[in-house]
């Protein structure tokens, strides 16, 4: 596999995916540069949405496509925002933070507001990576990983993207936004899922080795 289209327009994700896959000798191209329209993500699971995005990019380009569907799942909110992480603040609930700022800032404000009186601050990121070799691939590669942490009371740090300023890694006492990019890219949900994908890709390109002899030879 020499070239893969990345089915995402999220700059934060694209940067991380490019950095993590850089040791593999595969050219990666963002779907926007090939004019791929964004896929619908109507499903309630990460895996279904990732598959829809990868298939859409393969269908429009004829190339193998890699999609990441990810989000943050907060224990005290029964796993929300989950697949709705990207547009959490835009959802119509009585608790919407409203207000101004970037989408990420508004999402974070809403999350802090919902957890204002909550002592259970446990949360994890989930990342599902799907690779379709072509649009009708009957066996897409699916890799899923989690990154566990806690939601802090006020945002900290300027790195990363999305919920990183709120997501503290307990072992490091730092939020995702306080980590260096190369450190986050070693331990994050996306790093782990992409490492699994890299292993699967390496296995699928190995020549088959013969481990048995025909029992009928004299
Ligand atoms: P998707 O593009 O539908 O998969 O939405 C993913 C959303 O989940 C992002 O827009 C972020 O809000 C959040 N998210 C996923 N991964 C991360 C991460 O590594 N850091 C911070 N936020 C993330």
């Amino acid at each position: 596999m020499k070239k893969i289209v990345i089915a995402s327009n999220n700059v934060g994700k694209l940067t991380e995916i490019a950095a993590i896959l850089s040791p593999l000798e595969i050219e990666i191209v963002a779907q926007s540069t090939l004019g791929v329209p964004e896929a619908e993500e109507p499903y309630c699971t990460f895996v279904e949405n990732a598959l829809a995005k990868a298939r859409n990019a393969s269908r429009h380009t004829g190339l193998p496509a890699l999609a990441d569907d990810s989000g943050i799942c907060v224990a005290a909110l029964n796993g929300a925002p989950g697949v709705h992480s990207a547009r959490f603040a835009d959802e119509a609930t009585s608790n919407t933070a409203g207000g101004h700022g970037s989408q990420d800032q508004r999402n974070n404000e809403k999350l802090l507001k919902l957890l204002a009186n909550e002592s259970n601050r446990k949360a994890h990121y989930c990342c599902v990576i799907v690779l379709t070799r072509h649009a009708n691939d009957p066996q897409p590669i699916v890799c899923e990983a989690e990154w566990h942490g806690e939601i802090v009371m006020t945002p900290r740090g300027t790195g990363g993207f999305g919920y990183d300023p709120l997501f503290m890694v307990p072992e490091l006492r730092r939020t995702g936004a306080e980590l260096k990019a190369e450190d986050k890219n070693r331990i994050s949900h996306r790093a782990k899922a992409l490492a699994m994908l890299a292993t699967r890709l390496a296995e699928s390109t190995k020549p088959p080795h013969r481990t048995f002899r025909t029992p009928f030879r004299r």
Side-chain angles (χ1 to χ4, degrees):
M1 210 170 287
K2 296 228 173 328
K3 189 170 176 179
I4 293 180
V5 54
I6 309 293
S8 175
N9 296 323
N10 178 322
V11 179
K13 277 189 190 179
L14 285 169
T15 312
E16 289 187 5
I17 292 171
I20 297 167
L21 291 186
S22 62
L24 301 179
E25 284 175 2
I26 297 175
E27 183 189 348
I28 63 170
V29 200
Q31 66 173 10
S32 59
T33 63
L34 300 175
V36 177
E38 280 206 31
E40 296 288 318
E41 296 176 46
Y43 304 108
C44 60
T45 64
F46 294 111
V47 65
E48 288 170 294
N49 287 328
L51 185 53
K53 289 191 270 191
R55 199 180 270 145
N56 176 64
S58 275
R59 184 165 291 136
H60 280 90
T61 61
L63 289 169
L66 183 156
D68 152 311
D69 202 57
S70 51
I72 194 162
C73 301
V74 178
L77 303 178
N78 289 324
V83 294
H84 304 293
S85 294
R87 307 208 175 280
F88 188 38
D90 299 341
E91 279 174 10
T93 73
S94 54
N95 281 309
T96 45
H100 305 287
S102 67
Q103 178 78 52
D104 286 346
Q105 275 171 316
R106 288 183 293 117
N107 288 341
N108 287 347
E109 279 167 24
K110 178 173 177 182
L111 183 56
L112 284 181
K113 210 167 175 181
L114 288 172
L115 294 180
N117 299 314
E118 183 56 62
S119 57
N120 178 2
R121 317 286 300 185
K122 284 192 187 350
H124 67 269
Y125 282 122
C126 174
C127 175
V128 177
I129 298 280
V130 168
L131 187 126
T132 48
R133 298 168 188 85
H134 54 82
N136 299 320
D137 189 345
Q139 277 190 298
I141 300 178
V142 179
C143 302
E144 176 168 349
E146 294 178 3
W147 190 22
H148 288 258
E150 288 163 22
I151 303 299
V152 292
M153 304 301 284
T154 49
R156 286 173 13 200
T158 53
F161 68 100
Y163 297 88
D164 283 343
L166 297 184
F167 181 80
M168 188 188 64
V169 188
E171 309 82 73
L172 304 174
R173 308 303 300 166
R174 295 209 176 145
T175 67
E178 291 175 316
L179 295 179
K180 287 191 201 144
E182 60 266 35
D183 292 336
K184 180 181 175 192
N185 289 346
R186 264 197 299 273
I187 58 177
S188 76
H189 50 316
R190 190 163 300 102
K192 288 184 267 190
L194 285 169
M196 289 178 205
L197 176 76
T199 306
R200 294 278 299 274
L201 283 177
E203 277 166 6
S204 68
T205 53
K206 259 195 229 156
H209 62 275
R210 308 176 75 172
T211 54
F212 63 90
R213 291 186 183 170
T214 167
F216 303 113
R217 202 160 13 133
R218 291 179 183 237

